[in-house]
Amino acid sequence: MKKNFAIIGLGRFGGSICRTLIEAGQDVLVIDSSEDRVNEFMNIATHAVVANAQDESVLRSLGIRNFDHVVVAIGEDIQASILATLMIKEMGVPFVTAKAQNEYHGQVLEKVGADHVVHPERDMGIRIGHHLVSKNVVDYLELSDKYSLVELKVTNSKFYNKSLADLDFRAKFGLTVIGMRRGQEMIISPTADEKIQENDTLMLVGAVDDLDRLEAKMP
Ligand code: ATP
């Protein structure tokens, strides 16, 4: 279903969200106080406007309240990001995603009503950190404080040629295999008789401690 999106701030974060939404066929209004940034997106976004998002009358005249989803992607100017988020929520926008620079900024954004606060640098740091600690962790995504999703390369020969039923990750580790990657092939929701081959990558969901126990078994 087509939705109306507005993005405030066209840095690398806001800019890449804009490109992705446009590629997905959505309507996107972009707003930035920098004329250069707006010019760059003139032929990409549905509408591109030079404006200061701290100015309530400007947000009203752009009809921000009629948008389904607004992304506040202002980075360094924390005050502008908080004020814009507050005003946009007060205008009645149903869903606001806001980018936080740090934990305190994130907490304030939640307090002023942001529906989803994202910490792109922190989260990317966590993902890369896990990959650096264990080279078999291809990707790592925190789902909550306790649960994560991990892409783990199987490098322990004890697992090779055994089916998921034989290995029974759920009983032995408390983990659920939601997918497997074999070279270019992607197997979503593998069946219990799927046998693991050398260098397969498993996509697993579970508690962080349980994921750590399985990671430790991959040399
Ligand atoms: P990124 O990491 O996404 O590249 P950043 O965290 O470095 O970005 P900034 O470059 O500080 O963030 O801000 C992103 C964009 O937001 C910039 O293009 C900036 O011009 C714009 N911006 C900052 N303040 C405002 C404002 N009050 N109104 C509209 N746009 C703003």
Side-chain angles (χ1 to χ4, degrees):
M1 210 181 76
K2 210 165 178 171
K3 280 190 186 170
N4 271 323
F5 290 92
I7 299 173
I8 299 173
L10 290 167
R12 287 156 301 178
F13 181 69
S16 66
I17 294 177
C18 171
R19 288 176 203 275
T20 307
L21 290 173
I22 292 290
E23 275 167 25
Q26 304 293 323
D27 282 334
V28 186
L29 163 73
V30 292
I31 301 166
D32 200 294
S33 48
S34 149
E35 204 174 330
D36 288 349
R37 293 277 166 98
V38 170
N39 284 338
E40 204 185 308
F41 281 82
M42 207 60 105
N43 296 323
I44 299 170
T46 319
H47 302 285
V49 177
V50 181
N52 180 358
Q54 291 191 83
D55 187 336
E56 191 173 353
S57 59
V58 167
L59 293 177
R60 283 196 192 283
S61 66
L62 289 170
I64 279 289
R65 66 186 174 85
N66 299 318
F67 282 79
D68 302 307
H69 197 145
V70 178
V71 179
V72 180
I74 298 172
E76 273 161 41
D77 191 343
I78 289 180
Q79 183 181 322
S81 134
I82 293 167
L83 197 58
T85 304
L86 175 73
M87 290 189 298
I88 292 162
K89 276 313 287 183
E90 280 190 341
M91 286 173 195
V93 172
F95 207 94
V96 174
T97 297
K99 171 186 151 158
Q101 285 289 86
N102 56 51
E103 291 300 320
Y104 297 117
H105 183 197
Q107 284 171 21
V108 177
L109 288 169
E110 273 170 21
K111 285 224 160 57
V112 299
D115 301 279
H116 185 205
V117 175
V118 289
H119 299 255
E121 286 91 356
R122 183 199 67 184
D123 293 349
M124 190 48 85
I126 292 172
R127 289 168 79 168
I128 292 174
H130 279 274
H131 179 62
L132 295 178
V133 170
S134 165
K135 63 181 186 330
N136 297 319
V137 173
V138 181
D139 206 352
Y140 188 98
L141 212 59
E142 258 186 346
L143 301 175
S144 73
D145 288 351
K146 291 202 183 87
Y147 296 95
S148 289
L149 190 158
V150 168
E151 265 189 58
L152 184 67
K153 199 166 178 184
V154 183
T155 52
N156 183 336
S157 58
K158 284 188 188 153
F159 291 80
Y160 300 161
N161 297 318
K162 301 229 169 67
S163 69
L164 293 178
D166 296 334
L167 293 165
D168 204 357
F169 288 105
R170 198 162 307 173
K172 292 193 185 119
F173 292 93
L175 301 173
T176 304
V177 180
I178 59 164
M180 288 170 78
R181 198 190 294 277
R182 182 167 298 147
Q184 298 296 322
E185 192 192 356
M186 189 67 198
I187 307 163
I188 299 290
S189 281
T191 52
D193 57 6
E194 188 68 49
K195 283 195 175 146
I196 290 185
Q197 297 176 13
E198 190 170 349
N199 286 329
D200 276 357
T201 299
L202 297 179
M203 281 159 209
L204 301 136
V205 176
V208 173
D209 292 349
D210 295 330
L211 289 163
D212 286 348
R213 274 198 300 131
L214 181 61
E215 265 174 58
K217 294 212 178 292
M218 300 301 161

